[in-house]
């Protein structure tokens, strides 16, 4: 990624941006309600942007392109329809979900470059743990190439991206697998891609904690999107 692209969404007039790590498990409907309120407040009231790091209880979400046949176990976990792009995704404990509420009117109204920068954010964060995350043409998310002996070479998905935009304010965001139960992904065709698997940092043999990843995300974020100025925290109900 060249320097001009990396700076595309860095505002010329830095404003407060909240970085919040939510403890415990956050119910998905509560998270959506918080995002809806914050997006409206950013656009209509000039509220600070928000980067919100959460974990969810086990659930599946269906993006705007989700196909019914890709939900393989409809009664296993709650299923939530969502307005983000993409197909079916699993969320659960051990997975860091990052909700990204940024004002692209200030940062540059270019959704393609915003998604590219989101990918770059994940790639740089993974590089903190010597993991090479890669983009793949025609496949959403970030992938890891691996070769586990008898299983031979393969590519597994380690991070998903699904964003929505309203009046040039972004929401939803990304999910990175730290140590989720990877078997839970078997209830769906993740992102509609059946021929590849999923992995996590711990599955790759790395003793990475959620706090480790959070620190890497923050450092990498500021290198792409600009500095963080903490403001009053949001309040949510727990699952």
């Amino acid at each position: 990624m060249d320097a001009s692209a990396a700076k595309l969404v860095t505002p010329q007039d830095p404003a407060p941006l909240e970085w919040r790590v939510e403890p415990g498990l956050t119910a998905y409907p509560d998270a959506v309600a918080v995002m809806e309120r914050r997006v409206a407040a950013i656009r209509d009231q000039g509220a600070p942007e928000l980067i919100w790091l959460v974990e969810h209880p086990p659930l599946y979400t269906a993006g705007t392109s989700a196909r019914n046949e890709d939900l393989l176990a409809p009664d296993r976990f709650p299923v939530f329809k969502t307005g983000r792009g993409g197909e079916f995704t699993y969320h659960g404990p051990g997975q860091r979900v990052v909700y990204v509420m940024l004002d692209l009117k200030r940062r540059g109204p270019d959704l393609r470059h915003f998604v590219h920068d989101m990918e770059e954010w994940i790639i740089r964060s993974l590089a903190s743990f010597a993991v090479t995350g890669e983009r793949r043409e025609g496949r959403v998310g970030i992938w890891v190439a691996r070769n586990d002996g008898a299983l031979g070479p393969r590519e597994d998905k380690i991070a998903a991206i699904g964003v929505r935009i309203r009046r040039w304010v972004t929401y939803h965001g990304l999910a990175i697998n730290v140590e989720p139960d990877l078997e839970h992904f078997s209830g769906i065709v993740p992102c509609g891609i059946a021929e590849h698997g999923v992995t996590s940092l711990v599955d790759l043999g790395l003793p990475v904690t959620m706090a480790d990843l959070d620190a890497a995300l923050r450092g990498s974020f500021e290198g792409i999107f600009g500095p963080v100025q903490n403001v009053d925290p949001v309040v949510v109900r727990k699952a």
Side-chain angles (χ1 to χ4, degrees), residues 191-215:
C191 299
I193 301 171
E195 59 271 28
H196 299 284
V198 292
T199 190
S200 69
L201 289 165
V202 171
D203 182 56
L204 293 172
L206 301 169
V208 177
T209 68
M210 197 69 73
D212 294 334
L213 177 62
D214 291 349

Side-chain angles (χ1 to χ4, degrees), residues 220-237:
S220 298
F221 178 91
E222 294 188 345
I224 297 171
F225 295 99
V228 172
Q229 178 182 341
N230 280 325
V231 296
D232 292 339
V234 296
V235 177
V236 298
R237 294 172 296 161

Side-chain angles (χ1 to χ4, degrees), residues 18-222:
E18 178 186 355
W19 181 280
R20 179 170 177 78
V21 180
E22 197 66 38
L25 300 179
T26 300
Y28 188 77
D30 293 341
V32 172
V34 169
M35 285 192 287
E36 295 277 359
R37 290 195 299 268
R38 190 60 163 254
V39 166
I42 291 170
R43 176 52 54 230
D44 298 333
Q45 302 167 25
E49 299 170 311
L50 172 63
I51 304 298
W52 189 27
L53 288 72
V54 308
E55 285 181 84
H56 289 304
L59 59 93
Y60 298 128
T61 64
T64 55
S65 301
R67 300 174 296 181
N68 290 336
E69 60 268 28
D70 287 343
L71 181 59
L72 306 179
D75 300 323
R76 187 173 189 182
F77 298 129
V79 180
F80 297 94
K81 291 185 177 180
T82 176
R84 64 157 174 79
E87 303 187 42
F88 280 105
T89 299
Y90 167 76
H91 294 316
Q95 180 191 71
R96 176 53 84 206
V97 177
V98 185
Y99 291 127
V100 180
M101 286 148 271
L102 298 180
D103 183 357
L104 295 192
K105 272 197 171 180
R106 292 179 54 250
R107 293 173 171 271
D110 189 321
L111 183 57
R112 182 180 66 85
H113 277 278
F114 169 70
V115 172
H116 193 276
D117 281 354
M118 291 274 282
E119 294 170 338
E120 185 69 16
W121 182 20
I122 298 170
I123 289 169
R124 293 189 190 184
S125 298
L126 294 175
S128 300
F129 310 107
V131 173
T132 302
E134 299 176 320
R135 300 174 178 90
R136 287 293 180 265
E137 187 70 29
R139 281 192 253 147
V140 179
I142 299 301
W143 300 80
V144 175
R146 53 196 305 199
N147 191 334
D148 293 339
L151 294 176
R154 70 181 196 268
E155 293 181 349
D156 290 339
K157 190 172 190 175
I158 195 167
I161 297 175
V163 299
R164 189 175 181 182
I165 188 167
R166 179 175 294 165
R167 296 168 60 197
W168 288 111
V169 179
T170 68
Y171 59 126
H172 297 279
L174 60 90
I176 301 176
N177 297 330
V178 178
E179 193 178 8
D181 186 336
L182 295 179
E183 200 278 330
H184 288 177
F185 285 88
S186 67
I188 57 172
V189 178
C191 299
I193 301 171
E195 59 271 28
H196 299 284
V198 292
T199 190
S200 69
L201 289 165
V202 171
D203 182 56
L204 293 172
L206 301 169
V208 177
T209 68
M210 197 69 73
D212 294 334
L213 177 62
D214 291 349
L217 283 166
R218 180 145 181 172
S220 298
F221 178 91
E222 294 188 345

